[in-house]
Amino acid sequence: MCTRIFWNDNDVAKTAARCMDWDVSDEPELWFVPRGIVRSGHAGPDSFSWTSRHASVVTSMWGMGTVDGLNERGLAAHALYLDPEDVEFPPAGGRPSVAHSMWVQYLLDTFVTVAEAVAAIDQVPIISPLIRGEHLGVHVALEDASGDSAIIEPLGGRLVVHHGREFTVMSNSPALEKQLDNLTHYRPFGGELPPPGDITSSDRFVRASYFLHYLPAPENAAEAVAGVFQVIENVSVPSGAPYSTGGVYPTWWRSAVDLTNGVYYFGSTRSPSIFWVDVDDLADTGEVRRIDPTDPSLVGDQTANLVPAALTY
């Protein structure tokens, strides 16, 4: 499941947050990936390969790809679930490709701004291989330190790009265009309905938009980060809470990015604490580093506590 929000209309710091909702833990690991690392697209024999141009702090999922992160140039990317029946990637046409599990890493390694990433959106095909025996649909949100934003969705055999500062919220299915249409039924977005209270994707989208709209101006960067954490916590799903289908997809963790100051924040819902990593402080480090983000003892600045490690994906 999952939700993403972006607070880009305050004058203190551009901040974003997302939550990870799933029926089982995605077994997250938090990595620092330096410049100059050769990466594979994990798309089989026709995988595209590249060398990272920009250092990044990222969170991996099941040790097979990057689902969230921030690079040293102030570009952040987040992969969220989109129902597979809604998803159709453009055909690769025999070109070297990147699996959608590595899409976020490719974007962070390669680009500086949202506009730059959008301009190159069709250069490298993205494909959807089996993950744990099934096809998992995905769409991606991007934001940068200027306040620019984009949401990219593989629909109908093409990558549909919603590019602009106004695209500040994303959840799951339906696709963004239908989410925005639904939003117009609620105040203050054109309708008269109050914000809904269910945990469905559409209700989370409306509620996130509502609370983001009313965030008061922060006095400092700490308040700008705290604000997006407050909103993302409001649309998180407590452990054990079922959807109407009976399925249970709780929030396992929440992350936030301060794009202005280059800091990546993480909080496991199995811990009462939040910790953070300063991307700028690590940017010139030449080795891969790692920390277990589910360690409940982690709190505050953990930049110095990432340890050298070998990348496992």
Side-chain angles (χ1 to χ4, degrees):
M1 301 299 121
C2 317
T3 310
R4 167 266 194 179
I5 60 169
F6 182 25
W7 194 8
N8 59 359
D9 62 355
N10 76 78
D11 295 328
V12 174
K14 305 297 185 266
T15 57
R18 65 85 52 88
C19 56
M20 169 58 77
D21 309 345
W22 205 249
D23 58 345
V24 296
S25 172
D26 64 315
E27 301 169 9
E29 295 181 281
L30 193 147
W31 300 85
F32 167 73
V33 182
R35 310 176 203 113
I37 297 293
V38 177
R39 305 307 301 265
S40 165
H42 293 345
D46 292 325
S47 290
F48 181 77
S49 63
W50 69 93
T51 300
S52 58
R53 300 175 187 171
H54 315 297
S56 60
V57 171
V58 302
T59 299
S60 64
M61 181 176 188
W62 292 325
M64 61 177 57
T66 298
V67 73
D68 195 67
L70 170 67
N71 76 15
E72 63 178 310
R73 302 301 297 273
L75 178 71
H78 323 273
L80 276 68
Y81 182 79
L82 189 64
D83 286 345
E85 56 264 31
D86 295 332
V87 170
E88 183 185 354
F89 282 92
R95 293 181 293 163
S97 305
V98 172
H100 58 22
S101 60
M102 290 297 291
W103 194 4
V104 164
Q105 191 66 57
Y106 167 70
L107 293 166
L108 295 175
D109 285 348
T110 307
F111 301 108
V112 174
T113 66
V114 171
E116 186 180 66
V118 167
I121 199 66
D122 293 320
Q123 288 185 0
V124 177
I126 309 298
I127 67 168
S128 177
L130 291 175
I131 293 181
R132 293 193 162 194
E134 60 181 313
H135 285 287
L136 299 180
V138 67
H139 52 172
V140 166
L142 292 168
E143 65 268 349
D144 66 32
S146 76
D148 199 8
S149 175
I151 293 173
I152 306 165
E153 299 185 314
L155 306 172
R158 65 190 184 97
L159 294 179
V160 176
V161 179
H162 300 270
H163 180 199
R165 297 173 64 95
E166 67 271 30
F167 300 112
T168 56
V169 176
M170 184 170 78
S171 57
N172 312 114
S173 291
L176 182 64
E177 197 65 47
K178 291 183 179 179
Q179 295 276 24
L180 293 172
D181 287 344
N182 180 60
L183 185 63
T184 63
H185 296 100
Y186 296 86
R187 57 178 186 255
F189 308 106
E192 294 300 324
L193 293 175
D198 204 349
I199 58 175
T200 65
S201 173
S202 294
D203 282 9
R204 284 184 280 111
F205 187 98
V206 174
R207 202 159 63 252
S209 301
Y210 180 87
F211 289 114
L212 182 62
H213 176 82
Y214 286 110
L215 277 178
E219 293 187 3
N220 50 51
E223 288 190 3
V225 174
V228 292
F229 263 118
Q230 288 180 59
V231 176
I232 209 66
E233 287 165 1
N234 189 276
V235 294
S236 297
V237 180
S239 297
Y243 282 73
S244 60
T245 58
V248 178
Y249 301 89
T251 296
W252 292 88
W253 52 265
R254 293 177 282 258
S255 69
V257 289
D258 178 345
L259 301 147
T260 301
N261 297 293
V263 185
Y264 185 82
Y265 295 80
F266 192 98
S268 168
T269 56
R270 275 58 182 170
S271 168
S273 304
I274 292 170
F275 72 91
W276 56 88
V277 176
D278 191 314
V279 182
D280 292 344
D281 282 356
L282 289 174
D284 292 328
T285 303
E287 62 187 359
V288 175
R289 296 190 180 183
R290 176 194 171 277
I291 199 168
D292 177 5
T294 64
D295 181 346
S297 70
L298 298 180
V299 59
D301 189 349
Q302 296 294 316
T303 308
N305 295 326
L306 275 71
V307 297
L311 269 173
T312 57
Y313 68 97

